[in-house]
Amino acid sequence: MTWRMPAETAPHDRTWMAFPRVGVTLGESTADREEGYRAWTDVAHAIGEFEEVTMVVDPSERDRARRMLGSHITQLEAPLDEFWMRDAGPTFVVDDERPGVLGAVDWVFNGWGAPPWAEWQKSAELGRFVQEQAGAELVDSDLVNEGGGIHVDGEGTVLLTETVQLDPRRNPDATKASVEAEMARTLGATAFVWLPRGLTRDYDAFGTNGHVDIVATMPSPGRVLLHSQRDAGHPDVEVSRTLREHFAAATDAQGRSFEVVDLPAPATLRDAEGFVDWSYVNHHVINGAVIACAFGEDRADADARAVLAEAYPEREIVSVDARPIFARGGGIHCITQQQPTVGSRS
């Protein structure tokens, strides 16, 4: 078997999500919790205009999910604590030698390095549950990894971050060579672009330690959309510069140099917790559309939509307010996971 992870732009059968449940991530107050439920619901409804959405729901949230999601969002019940589907769920792959076969990589999930605040033991079983419900072949892995920690172009290139896959809280014995071997086995990767770090906010107590899906994505082979912080008052100015230099020296699986396209950050620099990591890179590509992050900044949101429209021609750009999601530790890409259509290329 030769597994390959298709690009996110390949046709999808559906998008998988997980409905929020009461806990540290959702928030302490009733208002906080309602804001979180609404944000996840808004994303599901936006996606549902273009492709099927399947939402995994903890039994404790059964009634609320039915009321908020409606009958057109498929709902399946399973125990949850964390509800970031990209990270706790599986990564779907295909086998080009068996065109009708779908695979699902079940990474080890330990709550982004088992920090003391995280509740992750229930959602550590989510990958296997989704794999079974999707009728996919299990691709088991001993690597502690999250879907937000990788990006692929469908042609063999994978983006990684040294502070994620080599994080001693995740994989204390890992080396670049061992991680690359696992990416080759599970995703069909042949070229490995190791970024040195992620955004500043992502290294605080509630961060992922540098997920790539908030800083860079490949909308098409040979091209990178890169988070660009341009305000000297934000420490991510230096991060953006470092990553741009890194991509300038890298090549993809086909030996091409990368064309780097800046995706400028919003103007907001700080929130109550410190420097923000608001990023338009953290969008979700679906059939016929891109579900883009919005941050309540008319000009910046419009500029980002223009960049995304050029990067994803013939797809509608749909913006959803992502501030409540970022306040809980991620963005739209982090709460979604695409299931590719088997037999399709790219």
Side-chain angles (χ1 to χ4, degrees), residues 153 155-159 190-193 218 220-224 247 249-259:
D153 65 357
E155 295 187 354
T157 311
V158 62
L159 308 183
T190 58
F192 313 91
V193 180
M218 295 177 287
S220 55
R223 203 173 200 207
V224 170
F247 276 112
T251 54
D252 69 7
Q254 307 304 314
R256 293 173 292 224
S257 297
F258 287 102
E259 175 194 0

Side-chain angles (χ1 to χ4, degrees), residues 1-125:
M1 291 177 289
T2 304
W3 296 111
R4 177 180 64 87
M5 182 180 176
E8 198 166 316
T9 51
H12 300 177
D13 271 0
R14 74 186 68 224
T15 286
W16 289 84
M17 296 180 65
F19 196 71
R21 60 152 296 163
V22 173
V24 175
T25 298
L26 188 57
E28 295 183 1
S29 71
T30 299
D32 285 343
R33 292 193 291 269
E34 289 298 330
E35 180 187 63
Y37 291 127
R38 174 51 55 192
W40 263 251
T41 299
D42 288 346
V43 171
H45 285 162
I47 297 169
E49 294 296 318
F50 298 90
E51 69 183 43
E52 184 175 346
V53 178
T54 297
M55 184 78 73
V56 181
V57 180
D58 186 83
S60 66
E61 298 289 355
R62 177 190 304 122
D63 293 341
R64 186 190 310 274
R66 287 177 179 171
R67 183 176 69 253
M68 296 188 71
L69 295 172
S71 59
H72 65 291
I73 303 293
T74 301
Q75 297 162 55
L76 302 174
E77 285 192 20
L80 297 173
D81 30 41
E82 282 298 343
F83 37 87
W84 303 88
M85 180 58 79
R86 179 74 54 175
D87 292 350
T91 296
F92 288 104
V93 291
V94 298
D95 184 349
D96 294 324
E97 296 178 356
R98 299 180 295 160
V101 174
L102 178 72
V105 183
D106 182 25
W107 312 107
V108 177
F109 178 66
N110 74 347
W112 310 280
W117 59 266
E119 301 170 329
W120 50 268
Q121 288 83 359
K122 292 179 181 178
S123 290
E125 305 300 321

Side-chain angles (χ1 to χ4, degrees), residues 271-285:
D271 63 10
E273 305 300 324
F275 289 107
V276 299
D277 56 356
W278 294 359
S279 171
Y280 295 108
V281 168
N282 199 266
H283 53 271
H284 181 46
V285 184

Side-chain angles (χ1 to χ4, degrees), residues 291-316:
I291 308 303
C293 296
F295 298 101
E297 299 184 16
D298 291 346
R299 180 173 179 179
D301 291 349
D303 288 347
R305 284 193 295 271
V307 174
L308 293 172
E310 192 279 331
Y312 301 100
E314 301 181 5
R315 294 181 195 261
E316 184 176 346

